[in-house]
Amino acid sequence: MNNMFCFQCEQTAGGKGCVKAGVCGKTPDVANAQDELTGALVGLARAMEGRGHVRKEASQKADELLMQGLFATITNVNFDEARIRELTALVREEKEKLGEAEDLAPEELWSGDPDQVSFRSTLLLGIRGMAAYAWHAYVLGKEDPEVTAFFYKGLRAIGGSARPVPEWLDLLMECGEINLKCMALLDAANTSAFGQPVPVKVSTIIEKGPFIIVSGHDLHDLQQLLIQTEGKGVNVYTHGEMLPAHAYPELKKYPHLKGNFGTAWQNQQKELDGVPGAVLFTTNCLMPPKPSYAGRVFTTAVVGYPGLVHIPGKNGGKDFSPVINKALELGGWAEERRLTGINGGTVLTTGFGHHAVLGVADQVVAAVKSGAIKHFFLVGGCDGARTGRNYYTEFVQKAPADTVILTLACGKYRFNDLDLGEINGLPRLMDMGQCNDAYSAIRVATALADAFGCAVNDLPLTLVLSWYEQKAVAILLTLLSLGIKNIFLGPTLPAFISQNLWDLLVEKFALRQITRPEEDLKMILG
Ligand code: SF4
Ligand code: SF3
């Protein structure tokens, strides 16, 4: 007898599915509440059918609930059953205002023909990932009706009857195309609010005195916290996916935004233990906090964990004083702490977004033409706990000196403290930003293809990706929808991809699983 079912992330139990409890710490009660929420979101999407939901005034509340509801079910976001149930009640209330529609019964989500389940799940997980990006853009005042409309369309397809494989494939490709628009929207939202990222060196040293560590992806929350901590004697450090914030002029200008704390999410239980600072999670990846430090951890937006203090509010009006007061009360370390990255380095560089890289496009093109740069690798994606993930560190260390490594998302903590040197004045390691900055990588690849008069697939460029949660699913669908081939994916293959779907992806896109760094490098560089 199973208590729950979830197979949405890379660390799923036995590589098949969490059925007793989540490896992530999600309880069966939370997992089942999330399934019910998803079923209610399908109900809301059904109720909206034919009601012209692109008309903002008719649907704003429903749109918000859809984004929040999908976002709240992403791995390591919300472990709070009461909050999930509240959200479900709000979704149902909104649905009733729109008319009659049945929710999807939760047991229908994961049952049936294995290929149908696989396609349905891949679409659902892709739109969950995309919802996070749409939400970050939304709090900065940006919306794209096409993106919003696809949440409804996708959810109706998830709740619909079985369909032939080509139709599913079209839907997945459409999800990928729409996610590209969504990442472009978020890029526009971030750069118009905070300026174009400028490459910057970020320290891993924690200064003495009170401090706050901010984790997650939401730059708007970070900005509000920086404003509210101004002149209070509290320093602010980024953590995890927040690191690229240092590159944005409108965030960097705060002198108390000091540096970066720690490495990727899976190390937080070790790294946060005994730290005399307050911690704020604005999105994933939150792990169940150990009792030794739970009293210093705060959540906001859709993040939640029972017993942690939650900072409510949407945009504009959040009051972070509980976090600030906690930092002041804890007082920080008496002397500066010299923390390091996982390879012992103390400097992390970031800020190589499309604007910065395309600003030196001539230099890049010349280096390729002269043979100084032989190949580009995009080594990026999520980090995670699996030991096989040191593949990515080794891959980067073993990549020849005439190759450039582009990176993004939290998987970079495996190697972002390494000094890989330069080629003709260009750094060999360039961090393009958060996972959603895959948009920058796509912009750069497209521009290089234009400069060389070839297709992206003909560039000396290989994508070596690591996945963990559902935003990676959305990004993979985007890359495939652009026709990008020969992507290396690891560390393991998703449990929700059936053998038939995998075979199809291999046949159409030559998608492959990573093997060993030496072998893969040999195969790529021939
Ligand atoms: Fe398991 Fe991952 Fe689902 Fe958590 S999110 S329950 S670890 S599959
Ligand atoms: Fe990392 Fe959790 Fe995916 Fe935005 S934050 S990439 S794993």
Side-chain angles (χ1 to χ4, degrees), residues 219-480:
L219 301 177
H220 185 247
D221 282 331
L222 173 65
Q223 183 191 38
Q224 288 184 72
L225 183 74
L226 286 167
I227 294 169
Q228 293 178 30
T229 41
E230 246 181 325
K232 296 236 165 78
V234 176
N235 288 330
V236 176
Y237 295 86
T238 56
H239 172 262
E241 278 281 71
M242 203 54 96
L243 166 64
H246 293 274
Y248 288 89
E250 285 302 311
L251 299 171
K252 186 181 157 47
K253 72 177 187 189
Y254 295 95
H256 57 298
L257 177 62
K258 292 284 183 185
N260 189 71
F261 174 94
T263 57
W265 67 271
Q266 74 279 1
N267 301 322
Q268 67 189 257
Q269 290 173 332
K270 195 171 74 212
E271 291 177 346
L272 293 176
D273 206 8
V275 167
V279 189
L280 173 67
F281 277 87
T282 66
T283 70
N284 54 315
C285 283
L286 169 69
M287 294 174 85
K290 294 213 272 181
S292 57
Y293 67 83
R296 307 172 214 146
V297 181
F298 298 79
T299 61
T300 191
V302 289
V303 190
Y305 196 92
L308 298 190
V309 177
H310 185 74
I311 308 294
K314 195 176 67 188
N315 31 5
K318 282 188 187 174
D319 177 7
F320 288 113
S321 359
V323 190
I324 300 167
N325 293 338
K326 178 58 79 177
L328 288 167
E329 174 197 318
L330 290 164
W333 277 304
E335 297 300 331
E336 77 168 30
R337 282 284 166 122
R338 300 185 70 82
L339 305 181
T340 66
I342 68 161
N343 304 290
T346 53
V347 179
L348 316 172
T349 6
T350 187
F352 292 92
H354 57 85
H355 185 78
V357 177
L358 295 179
V360 292
D362 291 350
Q363 229 178 310
V364 175
V365 171
V368 175
K369 286 194 171 150
S370 74
I373 296 178
K374 289 267 163 43
H375 205 89
F376 295 89
F377 295 105
L378 175 69
V379 187
C382 311
D383 208 348
R386 204 175 286 273
T387 38
R389 285 181 182 265
N390 55 12
Y391 167 96
Y392 298 95
T393 318
E394 282 177 40
F395 188 97
V396 166
Q397 282 170 325
K398 290 183 174 151
D402 55 7
T403 60
V404 167
I405 315 285
L406 304 170
T407 190
L408 47 85
C410 63
K412 64 175 159 255
Y413 283 99
R414 296 263 163 186
F415 47 79
N416 68 345
D417 62 331
L418 294 171
D419 181 2
L420 297 186
E422 295 188 341
I423 300 178
N424 295 354
L426 294 164
R428 276 194 63 222
L429 178 64
M430 296 192 232
D431 174 16
M432 309 191 92
Q434 298 180 336
C435 47
N436 42 287
D437 295 309
Y439 173 70
S440 268
I442 292 166
R443 285 275 301 267
V444 167
T446 318
L448 285 180
D450 284 348
F452 291 109
C454 68
V456 170
N457 281 322
D458 299 324
L459 286 172
L461 164 71
T462 308
L463 278 61
V464 184
L465 307 182
S466 51
W467 85 282
Y468 169 64
E469 36 82 354
Q470 298 75 54
K471 291 183 240 181
V473 179
I475 294 171
L476 183 66
L477 292 177
T478 296
L479 297 169
L480 298 180

Side-chain angles (χ1 to χ4, degrees), residues 170-190:
D170 285 350
L171 270 168
L172 292 183
M173 293 303 105
E174 188 179 347
C175 180
E177 284 161 28
I178 299 286
N179 184 54
L180 178 63
K181 292 190 177 167
C182 188
M183 292 192 294
L185 181 76
L186 180 52
D187 180 82
N190 283 339

Side-chain angles (χ1 to χ4, degrees), residues 21-43:
V23 174
C24 59
K26 189 157 85 175
T27 62
D29 287 344
V30 174
N32 294 325
Q34 288 185 341
D35 285 355
E36 208 177 312
L37 169 59
T38 305
L41 293 170
V42 171

